[in-house]
Amino acid sequence: MILNRRHKILAAFLLSVVLLTTACTPKVPGRFDQVQQESSKQKSGQAVAKNATQGEKFNKFFPPKQAGYEQVFTQEKKGFAEAKLKKENKELAALSISDTTSTPSAAAKFSKSTKKIAGYPAVEVGKTQTAILVNKYQVKVLSRDSSFTASDRAAWIKKFNLTGLAKLK
Amino acid sequence: MSKSIFELVDELPTSGLTISMLKSLDFVAPGEWQNTVGFVNTIRDVTGETDEDLIQQIGERAIYLYNDRSQGYQRAMWLYQTVDNTDKALGAAALANKVGEKIPLLSFLNSVTPKADKAQTIDLSLKLVAELVAFCQINGIPGDSIGDFVASLGEYSGESLMRMVALVCVDGLIPLGPDFISKAISALNQTNPQELENNSTFKGIQDAIPGNNASSKLNFIGESFDSVKGWMSGLVNGNNLTPQKVVNHLQGFVEIADDKLDYLAAFLDMSTNYYEHTGTQTLARRLIERAVAEI
């Protein structure tokens, strides 16, 4: 009985220690807390500009069908369209067009560009991305498989109908 | 919306009944699903990027996109959560702690009530409709695009495919039996709008279902089910799925007698949230895919 009681006391003591320490530890702000606050100030309209081009208008400028490859459209939102590039059922890359009206910093990165692809300013981002800027539109190819290299990305960017996209208002 | 997208993804569990169940269904789609949890982990996994500055930028854009309600991502999350939550019993958390040991189900039967076939059918078809509507919200196509959804089912992979596998196994085969598709269709045909309105899951998500009233929503549910039945029977036939085969794989973590399958279905319903779990993962991936392409 006494043993049992001691156990109970011990348990109660430990529980209070746990409660006290967890209650008093201040929460360290995480790396995304600030942006969470900023981005939830309004309910809608903060991520995508009102006048951004509808995604469906981008679809026809994607590369025409290539033998041996398959393109599957995955997202089509205001200001954005994306397709998967597949070969033998394996996902090689993601192809996308986005309107940089909503993301000015995305357009700004091209001002430092020293390279061109198909005559448009080009940048490589990280290990997996190559992008060009066609007026306000960003065309990006992202490797989803290590076999798909930077030169593959540049080659696929050239397959988009860039002249057509340049005329899109 | 109470929680941020990064909290939702960071807080996804790595063990418990839901995870055990999904892992034991791996035999239907071997290697398709890894339980990727954590927001930053998911960014690394989706994009293959390791640079911390870049990961930060991708994460921030994804958070902006999620918090903009006009983009539909929050509505999709709400759907995944709601179809899973209507049936939750209080015992779920306690049960989850027991995983690791095998759970002898019989001792829990007192607290579990199997649903009638019709209620089970409505739940199954509402989960399908929720998937369809969430798919349209996430990918940006109109909310009644049954055709687009069916075409893209063939493209489902990873956690999305696993969610559909679990739907067929746990909400179709186990409670309704090997002929669950025809059984569900005939039960749907015999359901009237009033019965639908009394269903708690329907009450939760009815606003998201296309249609002006319960009767037209019921039609939409029927059409959706009808258009997905080919895909479902393909999955069942392609893997020779039977209730027994599914249960054999579930035996790894739950012990159940063969004549108690409807109890098993009810038990899994109340103690797992596979829809919300894999739905959160799907949503995070789509957000991150878009974010990385836009920055």
Side-chain angles (χ1 to χ4, degrees), chain A:
Chain A
M1 261 330 256
I2 293 176
L3 196 68
N4 196 3
R5 203 154 152 200
R6 269 194 202 154
H7 271 151
K8 275 186 187 160
I9 294 171
L10 184 66
F13 173 73
L14 286 175
L15 184 67
S16 49
V17 168
V18 168
L19 286 175
L20 269 175
T21 47
T22 48
C24 295
T25 315
K27 192 174 174 275
V28 183
R31 62 194 283 187
F32 296 113
D33 283 348
Q34 198 189 337
V35 76
Q36 168 67 17
Q37 255 184 7
E38 285 167 14
S39 64
S40 42
K41 277 181 189 152
Q42 45 189 111
K43 282 185 175 170
S44 85
Q46 67 271 47
V48 179
K50 273 205 178 82
N51 57 347
T53 308
Q54 290 294 343
E56 61 190 25
K57 293 197 174 163
F58 297 142
N59 294 348
K60 60 180 174 191
F61 303 116
F62 276 70
K65 194 166 167 37
Q66 313 281 315
Y69 292 91
E70 201 191 338
Q71 265 181 71
V72 185
F73 281 92
T74 50
Q75 288 197 63
E76 183 192 290
K77 302 278 241 184
K78 191 178 191 180
F80 180 69
E82 184 180 53
K84 277 194 242 183
L85 181 67
K86 292 170 74 175
K87 191 177 189 180
E88 286 155 8
N89 246 343
K90 188 174 173 188
E91 192 178 341
L92 294 179
L95 316 173
S96 72
I97 301 178
S98 57
D99 186 334
T100 60
T101 314
S102 318
T103 51
S105 59
K109 70 177 177 285
F110 290 96
S111 63
K112 291 181 216 141
S113 157
T114 50
K115 278 201 332 184
K116 283 196 169 186
I117 295 174
Y120 296 98
V123 293
E124 283 197 16
V125 188
K127 292 191 290 190
T128 62
Q129 315 172 35
T130 305
I132 62 168
L133 188 67
V134 180
N135 296 335
K136 61 172 183 164
Y137 300 116
Q138 174 170 229
V139 178
K140 210 181 234 193
V141 176
L142 305 101
S143 300
R144 291 275 197 256
D145 188 88
S146 54
S147 68
F148 201 85
T149 62
S151 61
D152 292 325
R153 297 199 294 265
W156 275 87
I157 283 184
K158 288 180 194 158
K159 293 182 205 283
F160 280 80
N161 178 0
L162 301 172
T163 335
L165 183 64
K167 289 179 198 146
L168 181 66
K169 294 287 174 226

Side-chain angles (χ1 to χ4, degrees), chain B residues 31-275:
Chain B
E32 270 292 337
W33 179 70
Q34 269 80 40
N35 186 31
T36 306
V37 303
F39 191 57
V40 168
N41 264 344
T42 310
I43 295 175
R44 290 202 177 103
D45 194 48
V46 170
T47 64
E49 297 291 357
T50 49
D51 179 84
E52 286 301 317
D53 284 346
L54 195 54
I55 288 173
Q56 185 73 23
Q57 284 181 50
I58 297 166
E60 290 184 358
R61 179 67 186 152
I63 291 165
Y64 259 92
L65 287 167
Y66 182 75
N67 286 338
D68 189 333
R69 291 200 184 173
S70 69
Q71 296 303 297
Y73 298 109
Q74 288 194 20
R75 193 157 178 84
M77 179 65 90
W78 170 80
L79 274 167
Y80 286 132
Q81 290 171 337
T82 310
V83 287
D84 246 353
N85 280 341
T86 40
D87 279 343
K88 286 286 160 305
L90 289 171
L95 288 176
N97 290 331
K98 287 190 68 71
V99 172
E101 321 158 26
K102 267 192 182 179
I103 299 180
L105 188 60
L106 292 168
S107 57
F108 288 100
L109 286 184
N110 303 341
S111 57
V112 170
T113 321
K115 274 185 259 178
D117 279 5
K118 195 178 260 181
Q120 194 66 53
T121 296
I122 294 177
D123 261 20
L124 169 68
S125 25
L126 284 176
K127 277 189 176 166
L128 261 184
V129 168
E131 179 71 23
L132 191 157
V133 176
F135 173 88
C136 296
Q137 293 281 347
I138 292 173
N139 299 295
I141 51 181
D144 53 358
S145 309
I146 295 180
D148 286 325
F149 172 68
V150 174
S152 65
L153 261 179
E155 282 295 316
Y156 264 37
S157 62
E159 77 294 324
S160 304
L161 181 57
M162 207 60 211
R163 182 168 57 253
M164 297 306 282
V165 165
L167 179 74
V168 165
C169 292
V170 174
D171 289 289
L173 279 168
I174 293 181
L176 295 168
D179 54 349
F180 76 97
I181 295 174
S182 55
K183 230 176 180 174
I185 288 174
S186 84
L188 272 179
N189 285 336
Q190 290 161 22
T191 302
N192 62 47
Q194 287 71 37
E195 284 173 290
L196 187 63
E197 281 175 320
N198 289 330
N199 177 282
S200 57
T201 311
F202 180 77
K203 279 183 195 154
I205 66 162
Q206 56 177 329
D207 289 347
I209 300 174
N212 295 326
N213 50 41
S215 165
S216 56
K217 286 174 201 280
L218 182 59
N219 279 342
F220 183 82
I221 293 168
E223 278 174 46
S224 307
F225 195 91
D226 203 55
S227 60
V228 177
K229 70 178 183 203
W231 183 86
M232 289 194 292
S233 62
L235 185 79
V236 170
N237 297 333
N239 293 283
N240 294 317
L241 291 180
T242 58
Q244 193 50 56
K245 198 169 172 185
V246 173
V247 171
N248 284 347
H249 283 86
L250 296 179
Q251 295 282 9
F253 73 99
V254 60
E255 283 170 358
I256 178 75
D258 287 351
D259 60 345
K260 295 277 190 286
L261 291 192
D262 45 354
Y263 284 94
L264 175 61
F267 168 76
L268 291 175
D269 246 5
M270 75 169 207
S271 52
T272 66
N273 65 340
Y274 75 90
Y275 233 78

